[in-house]
Structures are given as structure tokens and as C-alpha cells.
Amino acid sequence: IDGNLVINKTHPFGLKPPLKHVPFPQYPVVSHAAKNDIILYQKQHSLQFWSLGSADNNDMQDSATNAATKLHLKDLPVMLLEIKSKSNDNIVSSAISPSGTWAVYSDCKRVKLYKLELDRNNSKVVKSVALGTSVRSTHRMCFTKDERKLILATADGILQIFQISQEGVSVLYEYNIMNELEDFGPGVSLSCSHDGNLVAYSDRNGRIFVLDILERKQYCEVPRFDAQPSCISFQPSSHILAVVNINNQIQFYDCDEMELTQWSKEFIMRGIPKYWNKCEAMVHLTFDPSNCSRVMLHDSKALYFIDLGKPLPPIDANLSSKKRKRKGTKTVSEISPSTDNFVIYDRYKHVLHADYLSDGSIYVVEIPPLAMLESLPPTLERKTFGT
């Protein structure tokens, strides 16, 4: 089954290769509970909670000297729990808290919040928490790092802030972005700062709104860039917001100083490397917890690494490993990247999610192409004459 969307220009037809769009999620469907290494996989009608496996200790020692060591698993990943949506409604968005204690999802009608106990031996839903009839279908959602607040963002630019405590969940307040930005369109990406003070919400019109959660007012507005943001994320140690656009331009905006960082200014002056410009639109962006100057991005085909602490590479720098066969021989030589601060690791396919673990290692979630069969309708049975 080939589910690619192929686009050809009508004039002149056939002179240039067609554009192919892979039927792959253009938004995150996997979220990570970093404290317990549990991931939430959002499917069409259910949520799956998986415990990540552990790596071999010998491989971990080798990775200390070799940054590109592939780690072998000592314990395989295990699915801990699966929650199915009510009435088989399509799930729009979901999130899991950093410790895996809370999980929330939204379908086209309601928002459901669960308190969980996730363990390899015994996993269960402790209780289902009602958020009230005033909570509408949510386009994006996230928890603060201290798990005291839940932030829901609707498609029409409304942010709802909830307080989570042992007594229950209560609505703190609701903020309508349309009061500040009248042309704020459907939301694309949501990110909360690590101190829990700021939340950023981007839309399809290229607007990025930053809310001060404590003061309950707009903190700043990020300048509008040339293209729509595809993903945003706060740097762990500051209020610097990383923005990746669909044309793969990368900007870092300091919300405290209300200006672009020095790295972004130099990046605009130097220009994007030509090999980087050939990538697909990025789906996810994250920072190395052990070194906040290291950034990892990914699309459906590859992982991309940037080191903000090193000088920018030349425009024509080779960013990925390539295998080249010499003429007249069977010898295959591998050409290494010519730079170590912009690197493309394209040895994966069908990447759903990639993120850092607390020890600096990286996990990657891939999906088989035939998994799309699960979302297709039943086969059409037709009686044929003579059978």
C-alpha cells in the first residue's frame, strides 16, 4: 500500500519530479515522562503507555568515549497500560506529566484527565478526574515540570490553566489570546518554560504568544518570521524560546530581553547550510539535559543536531555521513560530516519521536509503514458474477 500524496505541476507536466508527501503525523503523537522513562503513544482511538528499556552497562561505558555508540538493550520496552477513548472518538491531543502520574487527552467532544500508577508489574488507572462541562475540546496540552499546573490550548486561541493538588483539580483562570491578537489563528505548538512561569503558543499565521502564568497577562510577543512555526520549545535553563519554521529556519528568542540571541543574529547573516535546507519540516525540538547548548530536532526521516556553543559551519559544509562507491571497484568509502556543530543523522526511517534521556543517551520511536492499515476503513466486499 502506497499512501504517499503525489503532487505534479500541471504546466509543464512531467519535466520535473513530483513532490511526495508521506502520510505521517506533522505534530507530536509521543510524549515523554522523563523522571521515570515512560512514553505515551497517542493512537487514533487509544493511548498506550510504554516503559523504555534499559541499556547494557558495557555499552554505556563505551558511549562515554564514543558519542555515536549504538546501545544494546538489556531490558526490552514493555507496554504498561492502554486507555481507549469513549465511544471510539478520535483523539486530538494528549500529554503525560514528567513523573507519569497524570495523563490527559482530548477528543472532539471532551477532555479526560487520569491519575495513574505505572509499573512493569502492575499498572492501573487510580481515578478519572472530571474537569467540568466548561472545558472544551483542546488542540494542544502540556503539564508544568512540577506537575502543579495543566495547560490546555484550544484551536481558537484560548488558554485554560488548571491547578493540580492532592484534593483535586480546579480551574485557575482562562485567557483569550484573541483579546491581544485579533488575527491569532489555529494553534500549532505549545511549550511551557521549565520554571513553570511562561507558556508559549504558536499559530498557523506565524504568531507566537507568550503568557506569564503567574501574572496572568501577556509577557511578550515573539516577532513574526517568514514562515509558519512547526515546533517551539523553551531552553531548560532560561526563558529563551527556540522556534523552528516549516522552511527549517531556526531562531532563538530571549523572552526576558525581548530580542533574538546573538547566535540567531549571526545565523541570519550567514544563512542556512544548503544541505540543511533540503530537510522536511521538523516535528519536534528538544535540548540535551546535560548541556543546554546542544539541540536535537527530527522529522520523519532523520535526526538533526546543533551545538550552539560552536561557530556556525560554512554554507557548503557536508552535514551527514555519505557512502560513495569508487569507480571500477567494489570498495565503498564513507564520507564523514565536515562539521560537528550541524550534523544530520539519517539512518532512521519513519521516526515518530526522539528525545534525550537523563544520562545523555537518546531514544528513537519508529513506526512500521504498514501500521497505517489500522486507521483504514474495512475492506469493501463486492459480489462478482459467477462467484
Side-chain angles (χ1 to χ4, degrees):
I1 295 179
D2 186 1
N4 291 330
L5 176 64
V6 182
I7 301 176
N8 265 301
K9 292 186 177 180
T10 56
H11 179 78
F13 183 80
L15 295 183
K16 292 185 178 180
L19 299 175
K20 286 188 177 182
H21 293 273
V22 181
F24 217 74
Q26 298 300 311
Y27 56 92
V29 294
V30 176
S31 51
H32 181 210
K35 294 181 181 179
N36 293 328
D37 287 340
I38 296 173
I39 62 172
L40 164 62
Y41 174 31
Q42 172 189 321
K43 303 186 73 174
Q44 186 176 9
H45 302 297
S46 64
L47 302 177
Q48 291 184 354
F49 300 86
W50 288 78
S51 174
L52 295 176
S54 58
D56 195 334
N57 293 331
N58 295 329
D59 290 347
M60 293 296 294
Q61 294 175 2
D62 294 339
S63 65
T65 57
N66 186 359
T69 301
K70 183 177 180 179
L71 305 179
H72 296 85
L73 292 179
K74 182 176 63 175
D75 298 321
L76 295 176
V78 176
M79 189 174 74
L80 305 176
L81 184 67
E82 184 174 17
I83 299 177
K84 295 184 178 181
S85 62
K86 189 175 181 180
S87 303
N88 212 27
D89 292 326
N90 289 342
I91 296 178
V92 179
S93 60
S94 61
I96 188 171
S97 64
S99 67
T101 305
W102 298 92
V104 61
Y105 82 88
S106 172
D107 55 27
C108 56
K109 298 178 182 177
R110 64 186 70 83
V111 178
K112 300 284 289 185
L113 177 66
Y114 296 96
K115 188 173 184 180
L116 308 173
E117 286 185 4
L118 299 176
D119 186 82
R120 280 180 172 257
N121 299 322
N122 183 23
S123 298
K124 62 180 179 179
V125 176
V126 177
K127 63 178 178 179
S128 175
V129 181
L131 296 182
T133 57
S134 61
V135 181
R136 296 174 294 171
S137 177
T138 302
H139 199 57
R140 295 289 181 265
M141 52 183 60
C142 67
F143 291 89
T144 57
K145 298 301 176 182
D146 59 6
E147 303 186 7
R148 295 181 179 179
K149 294 183 179 64
L150 169 64
I151 303 169
L152 306 181
T154 65
D156 53 357
I158 295 178
L159 296 174
Q160 294 178 311
I161 315 298
F162 292 82
Q163 182 74 41
I164 301 176
S165 62
Q166 296 294 334
E167 290 75 20
V169 180
S170 59
V171 181
L172 282 181
Y173 63 93
E174 185 177 281
Y175 193 94
N176 192 347
I177 300 178
M178 301 287 285
N179 296 334
E180 305 290 342
L181 306 176
E182 295 181 357
D183 60 342
F184 194 87
V188 175
S189 184
L190 182 72
S191 178
C192 183
S193 62
H194 280 232
D195 59 7
N197 295 335
L198 303 181
V199 60
Y201 192 32
S202 65
D203 72 347
R204 295 180 183 177
N205 298 327
R207 308 295 293 267
I208 302 177
F209 181 85
V210 181
L211 173 70
D212 189 327
I213 299 177
L214 301 180
E215 298 295 333
R216 304 187 180 187
K217 64 180 182 179
Q218 181 181 7
Y219 191 75
C220 69
E221 182 186 354
V222 180
R224 184 180 294 189
F225 301 111
D226 297 335
Q228 166 191 320
S230 60
C231 55
I232 59 177
S233 180
F234 277 100
Q235 194 176 37
S237 60
S238 66
H239 287 166
I240 294 177
L241 181 66
V243 181
V244 184
N245 300 325
I246 57 175
N247 60 357
N248 292 329
Q249 291 284 343
I250 306 169
Q251 307 295 344
F252 294 87
Y253 185 79
D254 193 331
C255 296
D256 293 335
E257 301 295 332
M258 297 187 183
E259 64 175 2
L260 293 173
T261 63
Q262 187 62 33
W263 187 94
S264 292
K265 294 177 182 178
E266 295 179 4
F267 184 74
I268 294 174
M269 295 294 294
R270 294 281 297 274
I272 190 171
K274 63 180 183 180
Y275 290 103
W276 191 274
N277 202 28
K278 298 179 181 179
C279 308
E280 295 182 354
M282 303 297 176
V283 179
H284 180 64
L285 177 149
T286 186
F287 291 87
D288 186 345
S290 61
N291 187 349
C292 295
S293 64
R294 296 175 183 170
V295 186
M296 180 179 66
L297 311 93
H298 79 82
D299 57 17
S300 63
K301 294 182 179 180
L303 310 181
Y304 306 85
F305 299 90
I306 302 176
D307 194 334
L308 303 177
K310 296 182 179 180
L312 293 170
I315 297 296
D316 57 350
N318 178 35
L319 305 182
S320 62
S321 299
K322 296 182 179 180
K323 292 184 178 181
R324 180 176 297 176
K325 186 176 181 181
R326 296 182 181 179
K327 293 182 178 181
T329 65
K330 296 183 179 180
T331 305
V332 178
S333 59
E334 184 170 344
I335 303 175
S336 301
S338 58
T339 177
D340 59 350
N341 53 347
F342 267 73
V343 178
I344 301 176
Y345 195 80
D346 52 2
R347 299 183 182 180
Y348 293 99
K349 292 182 179 180
H350 311 293
V351 179
L352 273 182
H353 185 74
D355 207 342
Y356 284 99
L357 298 177
S358 58
D359 57 5
S361 57
I362 297 170
Y363 72 92
V364 180
V365 180
E366 296 178 282
I367 185 172
L370 292 181
M372 62 176 290
L373 293 175
E374 298 179 3
S375 59
L376 294 179
T379 56
L380 177 63
E381 296 183 2
R382 184 178 59 178
K383 292 186 177 180
T384 306
F385 177 77
T387 60

